[in-house]
Amino acid sequence: MSRLSAAVPAEQYLADSQVLFYLNDAVTQLLEHREEYTQFGLVRFSSVKNSNHVLFREFSYIRATQHNRASFIRVFWRSFRQIGRSGELLSLLEYRSLLQLLCPDFPLELVQSAARMVLMDDATDCLMSFSDFIYAFQLQLYYQEFLESLLLVYQDLLAGKSPNTVIVPTSTSVEQLQSAVAEEENEKEERQQDGVETSTLSQCVEVLCDRFKSSHPSRSCMKEILEQTDKVSYSSFLLSLSKHESINQSIGALPSKAEVLIDPEMDQELDKLIAQISVSPSSNSSGSAVGGLKEAQRRASPRRNIHHRRRMEVESDGSTEETDSSEN
């Protein structure tokens, strides 16, 4: 349905599009940074449309809307995809360090949840490839509340409780969730079981989808995965969801896994940078300059960059081209 359709009431459109949230934030930013906007103008507010508005913002802002979450996922991918190209494997804490370069207060718990998904509840200090981590991270961030509630339901089913009672996280049940995760980590034998009956879990998933409305993975995709086996564990179910191409397309932040290390726009910017260096009068040899830059790209270590990257300021139009180039 078109957003301009007369069949959609104005109040519903405002609520669905969350326009008022962005207007309120724009006014707040204007008041807090009035000197900056007096000098450079208000064009930076166009960054919401371009998905660059989440750079260096607090985590509460990033998770405030689904658009913000998808934007942050895309910015993270564009900033650090070079890690995947180099074949470098990073630890949980190293991925968190990268995330904190874009969002200083990004929570460790969310990164841990994504790591457990990739490592299937094994030792979370193992190293992960960028392509494995990015899709698990995307699912965990974009559908965070739904997955938290699903974990509580899964824990209840493992404990033999009735599937008719579905717990939806509140401010207090989030603490319950954290304690449930800690308890799950300590109970190795229970965690190594086959999981729960998929037919029972499927019923609970339907109830959760009704309660979360549109903030959940596709019902058909979840049903398709659950119909493939008689029992399933929480981590294996989430891992299958993270690899499902239809879910990836519905979020719209990342390309397909076959193209996750390819970013034509960023490659074009790098080519422009190389071309500028090659014709620069200050360079002694254009060939050696270009070769040196390419060699530096190949040999760049993300572990070193974690501790040596400098925070880049966003240009007045909210562009991330400079940030992307430096991060790669």
Side-chain angles (χ1 to χ4, degrees):
M1 181 180 294
S2 173
R3 293 184 298 175
L4 301 179
S5 174
V8 180
E11 294 78 6
Q12 180 181 341
Y13 171 72
L14 289 175
D16 293 343
S17 61
Q18 298 177 306
V19 170
L20 295 180
F21 168 83
Y22 290 109
L23 286 176
N24 180 71
D25 182 69
V27 173
T28 301
Q29 293 296 308
L30 176 60
L31 294 176
E32 291 181 355
H33 307 283
R34 66 177 64 189
E35 293 183 1
E36 177 183 349
Y37 290 117
T38 299
Q39 180 179 359
F40 297 105
L42 301 180
V43 290
R44 181 174 293 187
F45 292 131
S46 64
S47 63
V48 173
K49 179 181 178 181
N50 299 329
S51 299
N52 302 321
H53 60 298
V54 294
L55 276 170
F56 315 126
R57 293 298 300 270
E58 62 278 6
F59 181 70
S60 60
Y61 179 80
I62 290 173
R63 63 173 295 182
T65 71
Q66 297 304 103
H67 175 66
N68 285 4
R69 299 184 192 204
S71 298
F72 186 80
I73 293 165
R74 182 167 180 80
V75 167
F76 178 73
W77 163 65
R78 294 201 71 193
S79 299
F80 303 113
R81 69 184 176 94
Q82 195 68 24
I83 294 175
R85 278 189 166 187
S86 67
E88 192 78 26
L89 302 179
L90 301 184
S91 68
L92 181 157
L93 294 179
E94 287 175 317
Y95 278 114
R96 196 223 181 173
S97 296
L98 294 179
L99 289 164
Q100 286 183 312
L101 293 175
L102 305 178
C103 172
D105 66 336
F106 199 92
L108 176 62
E109 293 76 13
L110 199 148
V111 187
Q112 290 174 327
S113 296
R116 279 193 291 268
M117 196 187 309
V118 174
L119 302 171
M120 299 294 290
D121 288 334
D122 292 332
T124 53
D125 58 348
C126 295
L127 303 181
M128 295 170 283
S129 69
F130 182 78
S131 58
D132 285 340
F133 177 79
I134 188 66
Y135 288 101
F137 172 72
Q138 172 181 243
L139 185 76
Q140 188 64 48
L141 176 60
Y142 197 78
Y143 298 116
Q144 181 184 3
E145 291 79 10
F146 177 83
L147 298 184
E148 287 176 347
S149 185
L150 181 62
L151 176 57
L152 291 175
V153 172
Y154 178 82
Q155 293 287 346
D156 284 346
L157 294 179
L158 272 183
K161 296 181 180 179
S162 171
N164 297 325
T165 303
V166 177
I167 304 175
V168 178
T170 61
S171 58
T172 56
S173 60
V174 170
E175 298 177 359
Q176 178 183 352
L177 170 67
Q178 295 173 349
S179 63
V181 172
E183 180 180 354
E184 182 188 25
E185 291 177 347
N186 293 330
E187 297 175 356
K188 299 289 186 179
E189 295 182 0
E190 181 180 36
R191 202 171 63 240
Q192 293 173 354
Q193 293 177 351
D194 294 334
V196 300
E197 297 286 343
T198 53
S199 57
T200 304
L201 183 60
S202 181
Q203 296 175 17
C204 296
V205 166
E206 286 294 326
V207 176
L208 282 176
C209 289
D210 292 337
R211 296 192 179 187
F212 279 88
K213 297 181 180 180
S214 59
S215 300
H216 59 76
S218 165
R219 292 176 188 250
S220 60
C221 292
M222 291 190 286
K223 183 177 180 181
E224 174 189 332
I225 293 173
L226 292 174
E227 287 179 346
Q228 294 177 0
T229 182
D230 295 330
K231 283 191 174 184
V232 67
S233 67
Y234 177 77
S235 295
S236 62
F237 180 48
L238 264 57
L239 184 61
S240 298
L241 289 176
S242 70
K243 294 180 177 180
H244 204 291
E245 185 56 31
S246 295
I247 293 178
N248 180 51
Q249 292 177 359
S250 67
I251 296 175
L254 299 176
S256 65
K257 193 164 187 177
E259 300 176 345
V260 71
L261 303 182
I262 303 174
D263 187 354
E265 294 181 6
M266 181 55 55
D267 291 337
Q268 189 176 28
E269 291 302 318
L270 287 174
D271 290 340
K272 290 180 181 179
L273 179 61
I274 292 174
Q276 291 174 0
I277 294 177
S278 65
V279 298
S280 174
S282 61
S283 60
N284 295 328
S285 172
S286 61
S288 61
V290 174
L293 178 58
K294 291 183 177 180
E295 183 65 20
Q297 293 173 352
R298 287 195 296 266
R299 304 172 89 180
S301 171
R303 287 188 174 84
R304 185 177 186 275
N305 289 341
I306 288 174
H307 304 290
H308 290 77
R309 286 190 208 274
R310 299 179 61 184
R311 172 171 172 168
M312 303 294 297
E313 294 185 356
V314 184
E315 296 180 351
S316 61
D317 63 350
S319 172
T320 58
E321 292 176 355
E322 182 179 351
T323 302
D324 293 334
S325 300
S326 63
E327 297 297 344
N328 293 323

